Amino acid sequence: MTAKQAGYSIAELIHGASSGYALALFQPKELAEIEIFDKKGAPYLRCFLTDKERAAKPEEIVRQLYLRRLVRDYGYPKERIFIEKPVQFGSVIAEKRADIFVSEVDHPDTAYIIVELKKPKRRDGLEQLKSYCNAEGSPIGVWTNGNETVYLHREEPNLFKSLPDIPRADQKLSDLLAERWDIERLKQENRLVKERLSLKSIILDMEDLVLANAGVDAFEEVFKLIYAKLYDEWMASRPGKKRYLEFRDRWVDTERIL
């Protein structure tokens, strides 16, 4: 039985409680796969991973959609994916649980990717995600509320950098990090278009990821990064020999752009 047949609309379940979750990232064919049924007067769904019945709360709907993507689009076998996995902080297993936990190959207790859905607001969600990744030693973290997604690479404890995506199951993280981008690929992977984001949300991401607790003027530092990125794209788009984007953590003389 579909959500409509059961008397429930997935859109209404997501937006009705003003939960902060959304469905903008997912295609209609993906939404159509979520089957909602009535159980004692409440909406339920069947878990894609475990086949168990779960209450169809906004967070759960987004999780089920993302689980399908991990398996179908990224190729991760179900055997490597866990939900509600306890997070171990030092010697203590806390009450906190990871929404989605993807393990390393042949090491089910070692985190490879942690996906966080519990906090729909970006800042709160990223802080919780970082704490989970640090606790479990996960090199990759994903936060999504169904409307936007942030991918993080944990280079070392408390040092996180943005990723364009997560690696497929047949791809290594090092392969993804080594990929070189040109201006055409940048246009194809434009998050403003693909995820229907605003420039403001991208700048807020930069502030959260790069400047958090840095003790500097956020606007001034983000402004420098934007100038450096504009310079990088301008150089890559100049006619002549194909150029790759070479944006790095380094000072760029902004006067050369003016």
Side-chain angles (χ1 to χ4, degrees):
M1 180 181 294
T2 65
K4 187 175 182 180
Q5 290 171 330
Y8 299 107
S9 161
I10 290 179
E12 290 175 356
L13 291 174
I14 287 286
H15 300 298
S18 299
S19 63
Y21 293 96
L23 300 170
L25 293 179
F26 304 103
Q27 301 298 319
K29 63 179 181 180
E30 294 178 283
L31 302 180
E33 292 183 339
I34 300 295
E35 296 186 0
I36 308 294
F37 57 90
D38 185 89
K39 183 176 181 181
K40 297 182 179 179
Y44 271 72
L45 53 76
R46 193 167 296 281
C47 180
F48 175 73
L49 190 67
T50 66
D51 206 37
K52 294 182 178 179
E53 296 178 354
R54 304 185 68 89
K57 297 179 180 180
E59 174 193 332
E60 189 61 50
I61 292 172
V62 174
R63 172 160 57 188
Q64 293 301 318
L65 290 165
Y66 204 81
L67 284 170
R68 283 168 165 79
R69 281 202 173 176
L70 285 172
V71 174
R72 295 176 179 173
D73 295 354
Y74 292 97
Y76 288 98
K78 289 185 177 182
E79 293 74 20
R80 288 181 59 185
I81 305 175
F82 305 86
I83 61 174
E84 299 294 334
K85 189 172 177 61
V87 177
Q88 184 160 347
F89 288 85
S91 59
V92 178
I93 298 178
E95 294 181 2
K96 296 180 179 180
R97 295 173 179 266
D99 290 316
I100 301 176
F101 180 107
V102 182
S103 70
E104 292 277 4
V105 178
D106 299 326
H107 296 281
D109 292 323
T110 302
Y112 181 55
I113 301 172
I114 291 178
V115 182
E116 174 59 23
L117 305 166
K118 287 190 180 75
K119 302 283 187 179
K121 292 184 179 180
R122 181 195 299 107
R123 186 181 295 273
D124 295 340
L126 289 179
E127 288 306 310
Q128 188 158 323
L129 174 63
K130 289 176 184 177
S131 71
Y132 287 1
C133 289
N134 278 325
E136 292 288 339
S138 177
I140 303 171
V142 178
W143 169 82
T144 184
N145 60 4
N147 187 56
E148 54 185 310
T149 306
V150 177
Y151 306 101
L152 298 179
H153 172 217
R154 177 180 175 274
E155 285 195 343
E156 56 185 72
N158 300 311
L159 177 59
F160 293 84
K161 292 191 176 181
S162 180
L163 282 173
D165 203 342
I166 60 173
R168 301 183 307 273
D170 61 353
Q171 186 181 30
K172 295 180 181 178
L173 174 58
S174 57
D175 296 333
L176 186 65
L177 294 172
E179 286 184 355
R180 304 185 71 191
W181 287 46
D182 58 24
I183 196 70
E184 292 305 317
R185 183 175 177 192
L186 186 66
K187 292 177 181 178
Q188 294 172 3
E189 299 296 331
N190 187 348
R191 289 184 64 202
L192 294 176
V193 176
K194 292 184 68 174
E195 299 185 23
R196 286 174 274 183
L197 302 178
S198 66
L199 182 59
K200 178 182 177 181
S201 68
I202 296 294
I203 293 175
L204 289 174
D205 278 349
M206 293 169 64
E207 181 180 350
D208 286 342
L209 298 176
V210 181
L211 304 172
N213 304 315
V216 297
D217 182 272
F219 178 80
E220 180 180 343
E221 297 303 311
V222 168
F223 197 65
K224 292 176 184 176
L225 291 171
I226 292 173
Y227 259 108
K229 193 69 180 76
L230 287 172
Y231 176 78
D232 184 42
E233 293 182 22
W234 174 69
M235 289 292 292
S237 62
R238 295 171 71 184
K241 185 177 179 180
K242 181 178 180 180
R243 294 178 59 94
Y244 289 98
L245 301 174
E246 299 290 349
F247 185 60
R248 299 189 180 92
D249 300 333
R250 63 181 180 186
W251 173 256
V252 174
D253 184 358
T254 56
E255 292 184 0
R256 296 176 61 184
I257 308 176
L258 303 177

